[in-house]
Amino acid sequence: MEVLRPDTRIGPEGRFVIRNLVGSGGMGQVYRALDSLMKREVAIKTLHKDLVAAEPQYAERFLNEAIAAGGIAHQHVVKIHDYGVHDGQPYIVMEYLQGKSLNAVVLEAPLPIERAGDLVLSACSAVSFCHPPTTFPTLPVFDDFLH
């Protein structure tokens, strides 16, 4: 697993400057970085190079995720600012959110039911917004089964 070092510049004309590694997982890393053009902190999510080399379709899906998510404006969905490939490693640039992960919050102590409910409703709101319900045509097989 290759980790980007602090002060590494990625993106168009080295626009994004890596500050530090925030987290790492089985598919990639997340970094805190500086958007030198907009003068703001951002998060940069990358895919592991070895994963991209072994399964090139992951890179395409990852970048398609950035394009799809880039068109979403919702209070419970992170904003996407940019995406690209740096030295063979796909990346997505998004707003940097400070605080604890949901996993860390849940593991700290039992959540009061009101707080847990608020978190679930926020997540459901985001999922519902991103994936609105669709209407499927009635299938004759099911019609026959019900009669």
Side-chain angles (χ1 to χ4, degrees):
M1 165 181 74
E2 183 177 325
V3 175
L4 298 174
R5 287 182 278 136
D7 296 323
T8 299
R9 292 182 166 269
I10 68 172
E13 299 177 14
R15 174 179 173 177
F16 305 106
V17 183
I18 301 296
R19 293 294 184 226
N20 61 286
L21 180 66
V22 174
S24 185
M27 296 190 72
Q29 299 91 12
V30 176
Y31 299 90
R32 184 177 62 90
L34 171 68
D35 179 341
S36 61
L37 180 64
M38 299 299 292
K39 308 294 186 225
R40 64 181 169 196
E41 278 193 315
V42 295
I44 299 180
K45 179 180 177 181
T46 64
L47 275 183
H48 292 305
K49 278 185 172 182
D50 54 347
L51 179 65
V52 173
E55 303 286 344
Q57 73 272 16
Y58 282 131
E60 183 179 352
R61 288 175 58 194
F62 184 79
L63 296 175
N64 285 339
E65 172 189 322
I67 293 166
I72 296 171
H74 187 274
Q75 65 180 346
H76 300 300
V77 177
V78 68
K79 292 171 186 63
I80 304 298
H81 299 307
D82 200 0
Y83 69 95
V85 178
H86 171 76
D87 194 26
Q89 191 170 28
Y91 66 87
I92 300 173
V93 181
M94 60 192 83
E95 69 179 311
Y96 181 76
L97 301 174
Q98 291 194 7
K100 298 176 184 175
S101 70
L102 178 58
N103 188 49
V105 170
V106 170
L107 292 176
E108 269 181 4
L111 289 175
I113 191 71
E114 297 83 13
R115 179 69 177 133
D118 287 345
L119 292 172
V120 169
L121 288 175
S122 295
C124 289
S125 171
V127 170
S128 175
F129 184 84
C130 295
H131 303 282
T134 57
T135 304
F136 294 98
T138 304
L139 299 175
V141 173
F142 293 118
D143 282 346
D144 292 341
F145 179 75
L146 295 174
H147 293 278

